[in-house]
């Protein structure tokens, strides 16, 4: 259909509806015994109805393409135009001297015309929907597990793409209230236990897990049922992965280990976050790292006045910039190439760029390497943090990214991070802004994480190396961790460490087994023994710290004793590694020190 015909069609259909509606109203009034005088009197009324319909429709933009044809918004305008038309016809009928047209004809005719206009739109919509469905000859027949919000959005997306690769045949849901109902015309066929039989009956070859935030047990259970029946298993991303767009068919993917570990619903207070980020100059150190880059991407959504991304790795800086703006170049002023180890450079950056909010994510994080080279932990993690803290004395909000290894630390990494928490608490006593730390555990998918290590070992044919059969760690995805970091910064109080809820600790051997199940071929697990400075199980709270959650159910607040920076400036990085580690341990254990007056 041409564009001209598409524009002419609605008023023509509506005009014909008024002709039919008024004719039926008069015909019914005279019990199908119309005379010539009735038809003669009806003609000017019909002409007036058509004219008012078109004029009122133009005035209210019914026929100007403002609303999609057959949409709910268009129906609302159509009802208003019909009421106006009925009112005009009533007035015209009362002024007419000829009583051949009954007084109730405009009302009855208007109702009949409205029904016909709505029916034509419904028929048009059903025709469009039938045309937009994927071609059954080529599309893959799928069952959707989950009839909630994510499932409905996905069904809508699938059914609106005539060139789509997936045709939904049915929905599977454990909620008995949904049984025998239809979602966007697709029937709910049964519960999870019915999947094998439904696959055979419907000819579907794929099951799509359409629950955006689900417990690990549910994801694994549906995957096992599906693969056991010989079908393909796809999942929709978690809510944390869909921050910048609505769920669609393009988001479907194979299940990965993060899906099998479970997903966490994060209740984000967007208004509170926007209050301290929108329109502000925000600096992220370590912007090229896993956490730093995700911070930049999520902060960008809140439209800061300026996002300043600082890192010493030029390639990593370019990568995060392109992930935000694919057309950007290295000349972009948002990029700052610098090392936090340089105090004078930090002072210059803060003086010239004047950030209002700082997320300090720059740090060395590999436990075993820092255990061997503790001087690097001192220079980057401790002295680097101190350089940024002292340069940031006038900022409104400072967030130091810490780790669960800072709780009752036994490693160089844990000592260094605990010291940075205490230095941040010290600066909080001396500055007008809010200075706090955020503590969380291992992040899945970050560079060098256990996930990427296992993936590399699987790709090489194995074995997967696990330190101990009973070793456990707190794990969460990068998106979930950063969402909570940003939320925590909105509610954190001066000098605190905020501890993010990480769920139940995961047995690393079980994680390895789950990844092996996703591997194309069997891989063995080899146990190598705990490394120096490594705990069998991490804790989120140190000795004397209590789990208090006054503002957010997933964020705990703990007090942090301040530590005078003069004590860390005296550290001797040329000393023996064992001596450096012992000195850091001693600093962590020192009692709270009052800041100098």
């Amino acid at each position: 259909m041409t564009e001209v015909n598409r524009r002419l069609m609605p008023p023509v259909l509506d005009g014909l509806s008024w002709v039919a509606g008024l004719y039926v109203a008069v015909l019914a009034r005279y019990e199908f015994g119309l005379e010539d005088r009735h038809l003669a009197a009806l003609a000017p009324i019909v002409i007036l109805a058509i004219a008012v319909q078109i004029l009122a429709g133009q005035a209210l933009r019914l026929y100007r393409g403002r609303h999609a044809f057959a949409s709910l918004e268009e129906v609302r305008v159509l009802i208003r135009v019909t009421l106006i038309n009925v009112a005009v016809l009533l007035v015209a009928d009362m002024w007419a001297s000829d009583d051949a047209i009954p007084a109730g004809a405009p009302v009855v005719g208007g109702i009949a015309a409205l029904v016909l206009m709505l029916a034509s739109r419904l028929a048009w919509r059903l025709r469009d929907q039938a045309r937009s469905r994927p071609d059954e000859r080529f599309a893959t027949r799928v069952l959707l597990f989950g009839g909630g919000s994510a499932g409905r959005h996905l069904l809508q997306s699938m059914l609106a793409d005539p060139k789509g690769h997936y045709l939904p045949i049915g929905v599977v849901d454990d909620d008995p209230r949904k049984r025998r109902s239809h979602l966007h015309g697709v029937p709910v066929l049964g519960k999870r236990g019915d999947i094998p039989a439904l696959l055979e009956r419907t000819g579907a070859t794929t099951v799509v897990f359409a629950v955006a935030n689900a417990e690990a047990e549910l994801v694994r259970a549906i995957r096992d049922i599906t693969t056991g029946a010989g079908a393909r298993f796809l999942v929709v991303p978690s809510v944390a992965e869909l921050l910048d767009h609505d769920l669609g068919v393009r988001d479907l993917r194979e299940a990965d280990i993060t899906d099998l570990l479970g997903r966490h619903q994060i209740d984000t207070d967007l208004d509170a976050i926007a209050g301290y980020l929108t329109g502000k100059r925000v600096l992220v150190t370590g912007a090229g790292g896993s956490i730093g880059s995700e911070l930049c991407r999520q902060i960008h959504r809140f439209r800061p006045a300026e996002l300043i991304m600082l890192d010493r790795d030029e390639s990593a800086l370019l990568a995060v910039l392109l992930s935000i703006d694919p057309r950007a170049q290295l000349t972009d002023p948002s990029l700052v190439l610098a090392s936090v180890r340089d105090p004078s450079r930090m002072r210059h950056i803060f003086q010239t760029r004047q950030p209002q909010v700082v997320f300090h994510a720059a740090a060395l994080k590999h436990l075993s390497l820092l255990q061997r080279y503790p001087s690097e932990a001192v220079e980057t993690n401790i002295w680097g943090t101190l350089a940024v803290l002292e340069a940031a004395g006038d900022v409104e909000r400072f967030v130091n990214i810490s780790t669960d290894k800072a709780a009752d630390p036994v490693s160089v990494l844990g000592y260094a991070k605990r010291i940075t928490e205490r230095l941040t608490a010290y600066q909080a006593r001396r500055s007008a802004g809010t200075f706090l730390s955020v503590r969380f555990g291992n992040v899945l998918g970050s560079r060098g994480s256990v996930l990427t290590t296992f993936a590399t070992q699987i790709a090489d044919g194995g074995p997967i190396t696990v330190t101990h059969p009973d070793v456990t760690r707190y794990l969460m995805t990068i998106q979930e961790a950063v969402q909570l970091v940003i939320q925590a910064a909105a509610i954190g109080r001066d000098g605190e460490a905020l501890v993010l809820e990480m769920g139940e600790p995961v047995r690393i051997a079980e994680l390895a087994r789950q990844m092996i199940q996703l591997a194309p071929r069997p891989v063995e697990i080899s146990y190598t023994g705990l490394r120096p400075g490594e705990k069998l199980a991490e804790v989120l709270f140190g000795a004397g710290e209590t789990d208090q959650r006054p503002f957010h159910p997933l964020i705990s607040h703990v007090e942090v004793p301040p530590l005078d920076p003069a004590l860390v400036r005296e550290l001797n990085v040329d000393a023996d590694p064992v001596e450096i580690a012992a000195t850091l341990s001693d600093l962590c254990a020192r009692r709270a020190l009052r800041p100098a007056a």
Side-chain angles (χ1 to χ4, degrees):
M1 179 181 289
T2 66
E3 182 62 25
V4 173
N5 290 339
R6 184 176 287 274
R7 295 293 294 273
L8 289 175
M9 181 194 62
V12 169
L13 287 177
D14 293 347
L16 292 175
S17 297
W18 275 103
V19 173
L22 289 171
Y23 181 79
V24 168
V26 175
L27 187 68
R29 169 64 180 82
Y30 292 108
E31 298 179 351
F32 302 94
L34 290 184
E35 302 174 3
D36 290 342
R37 67 186 185 89
H38 296 140
L39 294 176
L42 180 62
I45 294 294
V46 169
I47 293 171
L48 178 61
I50 294 173
V52 171
Q53 178 71 26
I54 293 174
L55 292 174
Q58 287 291 335
L60 295 179
R61 301 183 180 182
L62 179 63
Y63 304 122
R64 296 188 187 181
R66 181 176 184 180
H67 306 293
F69 187 64
S71 66
L72 181 60
E73 292 78 9
E74 194 212 28
V75 168
R76 289 172 179 164
V77 178
L78 181 64
I79 293 173
R80 291 173 61 189
V81 171
T82 303
L83 292 174
I84 292 171
N85 208 342
V86 168
V88 171
L89 294 180
L90 284 172
V91 172
D93 190 46
M94 285 189 296
W95 283 357
S97 57
D98 193 344
D99 61 353
I101 300 300
V107 176
V108 176
I111 294 173
L114 180 60
V115 170
L116 290 172
M117 288 186 284
L118 292 176
S120 67
R121 282 162 170 78
L122 176 61
W124 185 267
R125 185 163 185 170
L126 291 174
R127 171 180 170 273
D128 270 358
Q129 287 180 350
R131 286 185 171 184
S132 67
R133 287 172 62 89
D135 192 326
E136 294 193 24
R137 295 172 299 172
F138 308 109
T140 299
R141 298 165 71 87
V142 302
L143 293 175
L144 262 68
F145 178 84
S149 175
R152 290 193 297 272
H153 275 94
L154 189 58
L155 282 173
Q156 208 167 16
S157 179
M158 285 180 171
L159 295 171
D161 185 3
K163 297 181 180 179
H165 299 296
Y166 301 105
L167 177 65
I169 299 300
V171 177
V172 179
D173 198 291
D174 288 336
D175 187 350
R177 293 172 296 182
K178 293 187 174 75
R179 209 64 45 80
R180 297 185 180 86
S181 62
H182 286 73
L183 304 176
H184 297 293
V186 179
V188 179
L189 299 176
K191 57 185 184 298
R192 75 174 77 174
D194 302 324
I195 289 176
L198 292 174
L199 286 168
E200 184 176 356
R201 192 179 89 197
T202 62
T205 58
T206 301
V207 173
V208 175
F209 186 87
V211 183
N213 285 287
E215 295 298 325
E217 292 80 8
L218 180 61
V219 182
R220 293 198 294 265
I222 303 304
R223 184 202 60 173
D224 292 344
I225 293 172
T226 300
T227 56
R232 187 184 182 195
F233 182 71
L234 298 177
V235 298
V236 300
S238 66
V239 170
E241 297 175 73
L242 295 170
L243 292 174
D244 57 350
H245 66 276
D246 292 329
L247 175 64
V249 178
R250 66 187 184 279
D251 297 305
L252 292 182
R253 57 171 173 76
E254 301 283 348
D256 61 29
I257 192 62
T258 61
D259 302 311
L260 303 182
L261 290 175
R263 300 162 170 189
H264 309 288
Q265 177 67 51
I266 298 174
D267 183 16
T268 304
D269 186 349
L270 297 179
D271 291 336
I273 291 173
Y276 82 91
L277 289 179
T278 303
K280 298 295 179 69
R281 296 182 300 278
V282 183
L283 168 67
V284 179
T285 72
S290 305
I291 295 295
S293 59
E294 183 63 24
L295 272 168
C296 292
R297 284 187 286 270
Q298 293 198 26
I299 290 169
H300 178 72
R301 296 175 50 243
F302 294 99
R303 301 182 301 280
E306 184 179 15
L307 177 57
I308 307 163
M309 297 177 280
L310 184 151
D311 203 290
R312 65 177 182 176
D313 185 336
E314 58 183 352
S315 298
L317 272 180
L318 178 60
V320 66
L321 177 64
L322 292 177
S323 72
I324 295 174
D325 181 4
R327 296 167 297 178
Q329 298 180 351
L330 277 173
T331 54
D332 194 298
S334 63
L335 300 185
V336 177
L337 186 62
S339 171
V340 296
R341 288 185 173 195
D342 188 341
S344 62
R345 183 87 170 101
M346 291 300 104
R347 288 193 296 270
H348 175 74
I349 291 168
F350 275 84
Q351 288 167 3
T352 54
R353 306 300 290 269
Q354 296 185 334
Q356 296 163 286
V357 180
V358 176
F359 288 88
H360 177 53
L364 300 175
K365 62 182 182 180
H366 291 288
L367 185 146
S368 294
L369 276 176
L370 294 183
Q371 204 69 24
R372 292 170 57 196
Y373 302 104
S375 59
E376 296 298 313
V378 172
E379 295 195 51
T380 296
N381 292 10
I382 298 177
W383 288 348
T385 298
L386 183 58
V388 178
L389 279 168
E390 293 183 334
D394 296 327
V395 302
E396 295 177 8
R397 194 172 295 266
F398 184 102
V399 182
N400 171 47
I401 305 299
S402 187
T403 170
D404 59 357
K405 293 174 177 59
D408 287 341
V410 297
S411 64
V412 168
L413 174 58
Y415 299 145
K417 282 297 189 177
R418 178 56 175 171
I419 289 170
T420 64
E421 289 184 356
R422 297 188 63 180
L423 292 174
T424 303
Y426 180 91
Q427 190 66 35
R429 306 286 183 91
R430 301 174 62 84
S431 302
T434 301
F435 284 67
L436 55 95
S437 298
V438 178
R439 185 190 297 171
F440 55 89
N442 295 43
V443 176
L444 289 170
S446 64
R447 288 184 297 182
S449 73
V450 65
L451 194 64
T452 54
T453 300
F454 286 175
T456 301
Q457 292 173 338
I458 289 173
D460 289 341
I464 287 181
T465 56
V466 178
T467 56
H468 191 282
D470 297 322
V471 68
T472 61
R473 291 291 181 266
Y474 290 98
L475 302 173
M476 70 192 316
T477 67
I478 292 177
Q479 293 87 356
E480 291 168 346
V482 169
Q483 272 189 272
L484 279 176
V485 166
I486 295 175
Q487 176 71 75
I491 63 176
R493 296 171 295 200
D494 228 11
E496 290 182 327
L498 294 121
V499 184
L500 305 187
E501 170 60 52
M502 301 288 293
E504 293 299 318
V506 175
R507 193 177 298 276
I508 300 303
E510 177 60 27
L511 171 64
R513 282 189 285 270
Q514 292 290 340
M515 292 191 68
I516 290 170
Q517 288 186 19
L518 297 174
R521 57 185 181 275
V523 175
E524 293 182 354
I525 298 176
S526 174
Y527 296 102
T528 59
L530 290 175
R531 294 164 294 191
E534 192 172 36
K535 297 178 181 178
L536 189 63
E538 299 286 1
V539 295
L540 296 177
F541 302 95
E545 295 178 342
T546 56
D547 184 355
Q548 298 180 0
R549 309 185 186 196
F551 304 120
H552 194 286
L554 300 181
I555 302 173
S556 304
H557 298 241
V558 298
E559 294 184 5
V560 177
L563 183 69
D564 193 330
L567 295 173
V568 303
R569 289 194 182 96
E570 300 170 356
L571 289 169
N572 179 13
V573 294
D574 295 323
D576 178 84
V578 175
E579 183 181 340
I580 295 175
T583 304
L584 295 179
S585 175
D586 180 62
L587 282 175
C588 289
R590 290 204 181 197
R591 63 181 179 81
L593 298 176
R594 294 178 179 275

